[in-house]
């Protein structure tokens, strides 16, 4: 008699995700080509994208703040491993971008930039989808590209690494 | 027996609703946590330990419980723990932590948004994954197996079950946080069709979204409380086998034992909040805990009126404490359950000075 080493019991569960008030505001902003964050009333940090709470203070972030698409690369990596779920073929550059006026860097693609030119402190700007293609998704920002500005000094972003 | 007296000094809960469509869990929790801490007279930095209860399968996201910490304020790093269970077990863990003397206060919270998925299917995957879960028995069907066995063994009638539903729903009319707050009389309820025989809709809990929080305190931390402190005089939890076939579903030996260890019988019980999501389970639990006719059972309406998953057990403790604090009695029993057909049970005895 052969030993049973494996059984297959398929499980599939479907969910309807609730973005929440804060993320909903952010996503609706994306559809208008605007970047909306929220400021903590206690520590004054600005979260982009906002989640409705300051994770540091544990209080609701109610003040809405609009920031521009300009920011600083705080850290980066170059992805060379292929995967079915990637929307861009490797190699490509992924970075943490800290938008001016925000206190939370987020993950973003860097393009229009040679791999050996990307660096910490590099100044970048958002490249938006064409107006007709703007939608309530983070993908309304296609990627970030370098801008002709001096690098941000390390002290200005060291808190956000 | 406990060496430190622990009091409930704050309790807050959201309204239970069928679908909380606009707020995420963090946004639901924040006002509840603020309110519980306000009652306790404690600020976030004063809290010694934070313990939460929830289930990532309800949210469909791994580590959803970590995201929920945004509502707490976890920087600089705090002492925190989580149980993938009803918040009543989070309260137990917090109580143990206070017994060790490492903390003098604890924030316990629980949240569950069942509306994001298909709750009966989500509950199925807590079953044995090899022989039971692949058959997809849902939670109501499993409860119906238990109800049938109970009715046949004890001679209890479906009318008796309808009376439990009627009484719970009528009690819930005075509870603004409850979800089902009106009821037709038992006669009318009995005329409705079976959902899964012998259970009708009124024998089953509503599907609810909600959250709740309790603050515990010891020693000097109790003095800051705006709420009349309610003392935890005994708390115990026991579990039965996972496989349904090896259990006698018509009784609850784990509840009975937990009740004895918690000291339910050591004094008169004025009121009890029992976590009985199905009508027949209330009758099983009353018997296991030895609660007589003089005990006011589920004055809040219980889980038959509002059943946020991972929250409803913690709410039983909070409701019982809030009623004692409000003068409804001196001594109460609170109970929480987890798993199919009352598999695991926690019993807590509460007293007011």
């Amino acid at each position: 008699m052969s030993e049973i080493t494996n059984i297959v019991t398929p499980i599939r569960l479907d969910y309807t995700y609730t973005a929440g008030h804060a993320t909903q505001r952010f996503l609706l902003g994306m559809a208008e080509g605007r970047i909306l964050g929220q400021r903590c009333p206690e520590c004054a940090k600005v979260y982009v994208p906002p989640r409705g709470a300051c994770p540091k203070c544990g209080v609701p972030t109610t003040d809405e703040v609009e920031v521009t698409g300009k920011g600083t690369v705080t850290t980066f990596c170059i992805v060379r491993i292929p995967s079915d779920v990637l929307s861009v073929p490797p190699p490509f550059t992924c970075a943490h971008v800290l938008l001016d006026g925000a206190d939370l860097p987020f993950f973003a693609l860097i393009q229009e930039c040679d791999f050996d030119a990307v660096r910490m402190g590099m100044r970048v700007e958002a490249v938006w989808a064409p107006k007709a293609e703007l939608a309530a998704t983070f993908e309304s920002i296609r990627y970030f590209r370098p801008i002709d500005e001096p690098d941000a000094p390390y002290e200005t972003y060291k808190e956000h690494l | 027996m406990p060496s430190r007296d622990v009091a409930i000094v704050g309790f807050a809960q959201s309204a239970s609703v069928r679908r909380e469509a606009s707020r995420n869990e963090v946004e639901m929790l924040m006002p509840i946590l603020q309110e519980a801490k306000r009652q306790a007279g404690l600020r976030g930095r004063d809290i010694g330990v934070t313990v939460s209860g929830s289930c990532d399968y309800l949210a469909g996201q791994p580590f959803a419980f970590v995201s929920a910490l945004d509502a707490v304020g976890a920087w600089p790093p705090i002492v925190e723990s989580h149980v993938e269970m009803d918040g009543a077990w989070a309260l137990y863990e917090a109580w143990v932590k206070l017994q060790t003397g490492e903390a003098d206060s604890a924030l316990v919270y629980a949240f569950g948004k069942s509306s994001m998925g298909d709750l009966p299917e989500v509950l199925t995957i807590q079953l044995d994954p090899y022989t039971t879960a692949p058959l997809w028995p849902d939670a109501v069907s499993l409860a119906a197996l238990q109800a049938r066995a109970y009715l046949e063994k004890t001679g209890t009638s479906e009318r008796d079950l309808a009376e439990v539903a009627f009484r719970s729903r009528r009690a819930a009319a005075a509870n603004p946080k409850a979800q089902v707050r009106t009821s037709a009389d038992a006669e009318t309820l009995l005329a409705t069709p079976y959902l899964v025989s012998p259970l009708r809709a009124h024998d089953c809990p509503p599907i609810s979204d909600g959250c709740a929080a309790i603050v515990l305190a010891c020693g000097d931390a109790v003095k800051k409380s705006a709420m009349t402190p309610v003392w935890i005089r005994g708390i115990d939890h026991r579990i039965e086998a996972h496989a349904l076939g090896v259990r006698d579903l018509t009784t609850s030996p784990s509840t009975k034992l937990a009740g004895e260890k918690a000291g339910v019988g050591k004094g008169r019980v004025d009121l009890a909040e029992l976590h009985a999501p199905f009508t027949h389970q209330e009758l099983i639990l009353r018997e296991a805990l030895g609660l007589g006719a003089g005990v006011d059972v589920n004055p809040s309406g219980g889980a038959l009126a509002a059943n946020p998953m991972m929250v409803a057990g913690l709410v039983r403790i909070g409701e019982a404490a809030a009623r004692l604090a409000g003068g409804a009695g001196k001594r109460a029993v609170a109970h929480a359950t987890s798993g199919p057909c009352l598999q695991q049970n926690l019993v807590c005895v509460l007293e007011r000075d």
Side-chain angles (χ1 to χ4, degrees):
Chain A
M1 203 170 70
S2 65
E3 210 173 82
I4 294 170
T5 57
N6 207 31
I7 61 167
V8 177
T9 58
I11 291 178
R12 180 191 166 86
L13 295 170
D14 291 309
Y15 294 89
T16 305
Y17 176 64
T18 310
H21 287 179
T23 307
Q24 168 137 331
R25 284 290 305 160
F26 173 79
L27 292 172
L28 291 174
M30 284 283 120
E32 297 173 351
R34 301 167 70 200
I35 305 173
L36 300 176
Q38 287 183 342
R39 179 183 285 117
C40 173
E42 284 190 12
C43 70
K45 287 201 181 303
V46 172
Y47 296 102
V48 181
R51 299 217 333 124
C54 175
K56 200 177 156 202
C57 305
V59 297
T61 50
T62 43
D63 300 348
E64 192 163 278
V65 179
E66 181 165 1
V67 295
T68 71
K70 283 191 179 181
T72 300
V73 171
T74 63
T75 185
F76 66 96
C77 68
I78 296 161
V79 178
R80 298 180 184 277
I81 303 166
S83 162
D84 291 342
V85 298
L86 294 175
S87 55
V88 190
F92 57 86
T93 306
C94 257
H96 255 181
V97 172
L98 181 69
L99 293 178
D100 296 349
D103 292 286
L104 185 71
F106 54 79
F107 216 46
L109 279 174
I110 306 289
Q111 294 196 352
E112 299 184 35
C113 178
D114 290 337
F115 297 128
D116 55 3
V118 64
R119 60 202 178 273
M120 289 169 70
M122 186 170 80
R123 297 283 293 156
V124 293
E125 68 178 3
V127 176
W128 291 85
K131 226 177 182 90
E133 292 174 32
L134 288 177
T137 161
F138 215 160
E139 288 170 7
S140 287
I141 296 179
R142 291 289 196 247
Y143 56 86
F144 284 78
R145 70 180 168 207
I147 49 177
D148 189 19
E149 282 184 18
D151 284 4
Y154 179 67
E155 284 66 36
T156 61
Y157 62 86
K158 70 174 180 187
E159 194 197 332
H160 302 290
L161 287 178
Chain B
M1 272 286 101
S3 55
R4 296 186 89 197
D5 288 330
V6 174
I8 292 173
V9 291
F11 167 58
Q13 62 176 317
S14 70
S16 284
V17 295
R18 176 62 183 88
R19 186 178 299 277
E20 171 66 58
S22 63
R23 292 186 300 171
N24 64 26
E25 290 92 328
V26 169
E27 291 168 341
M28 286 168 65
L29 272 169
M30 268 186 299
I32 301 308
L33 298 179
Q34 306 280 351
E35 170 58 16
K37 285 187 281 191
R38 187 196 64 74
Q39 289 176 18
L42 296 172
R43 285 158 38 87
R45 286 290 122 206
D46 304 329
I47 300 286
V49 57
T50 299
V51 191
S52 60
S54 69
C55 175
D56 282 3
Y57 281 98
L58 293 176
Q61 294 179 70
F63 295 95
F65 67 92
V66 178
S67 310
L69 277 173
D70 281 3
V72 176
W75 185 266
I78 60 170
V79 179
E80 184 272 341
S81 184
H82 174 264
V83 296
E84 195 77 3
M85 292 194 70
D86 187 288
W89 277 265
L91 182 138
Y92 184 86
E93 183 178 329
W95 178 86
V96 169
K97 189 82 172 178
L98 296 183
Q99 292 305 320
T100 67
E102 287 183 27
D104 293 327
S105 60
L107 173 64
V108 179
Y109 66 91
F111 59 96
K113 281 189 75 175
S114 299
S115 65
M116 295 199 288
D118 182 326
L119 182 62
E121 291 197 348
V122 170
L123 288 175
T124 298
I125 58 176
Q126 71 184 321
L127 303 168
D128 163 24
Y130 307 108
T131 60
T132 315
L135 305 172
W136 288 96
D138 64 89
V140 176
S141 301
L142 293 177
L145 285 176
Q146 182 182 37
R148 172 62 66 201
Y150 178 77
L151 295 182
E152 298 288 329
K153 180 183 161 190
T154 62
T156 304
S157 67
E158 291 173 16
R159 167 177 286 278
D160 296 330
L161 301 187
E163 294 288 356
V164 170
F166 174 67
R167 205 206 61 250
S168 296
R169 291 170 167 203
R170 287 297 292 271
N175 176 3
K177 307 292 187 186
Q179 189 175 341
V180 182
R181 300 179 58 204
T182 57
S183 181
D185 59 23
E187 197 69 42
T188 311
L189 293 176
L190 275 173
T192 57
Y194 288 118
L195 197 59
V196 182
S197 169
L199 299 179
R200 297 178 174 84
H202 61 259
D203 294 308
C204 307
I207 294 176
S208 313
D209 288 353
C211 60
I214 283 179
V215 179
L216 301 179
C218 291
D220 286 348
V222 177
K223 294 175 189 159
K224 296 175 181 168
S225 173
M227 172 182 164
T228 303
V230 173
W231 301 96
I232 297 176
R233 292 299 183 212
I235 185 166
D236 195 88
H237 66 97
R238 302 279 158 164
I239 192 167
E240 295 173 42
H242 195 199
L244 293 165
V246 303
R247 292 168 48 196
D248 175 358
L249 298 177
T250 64
T251 63
S252 183
S254 54
T255 301
K256 187 168 189 289
L257 189 54
E260 286 166 7
K261 297 288 180 186
V264 170
K266 287 182 184 169
R268 193 171 72 95
V269 178
D270 295 316
L271 64 99
E273 281 285 337
L274 306 181
H275 186 191
F278 296 90
T279 48
H280 65 279
Q281 292 178 344
E282 181 184 306
L283 303 178
I284 293 172
L285 291 169
R286 277 174 182 261
E287 188 191 328
L289 290 167
L291 302 177
V295 181
D296 187 6
V297 172
N298 288 348
S300 71
L304 286 165
N307 191 39
M309 291 305 301
M310 305 294 139
V311 181
L314 184 67
V315 166
R316 303 280 73 73
I317 299 172
E319 284 280 4
R323 276 161 211 282
L324 292 188
K330 295 281 278 184
R331 193 163 183 272
V333 170
H335 158 271
T337 195
S338 181
C341 301
L342 302 173
Q343 187 200 0
Q344 187 165 2
N345 294 283
L346 179 148
V347 178
C348 180
V349 175
L350 301 168
E351 279 180 14
R352 199 185 74 148
D353 284 333

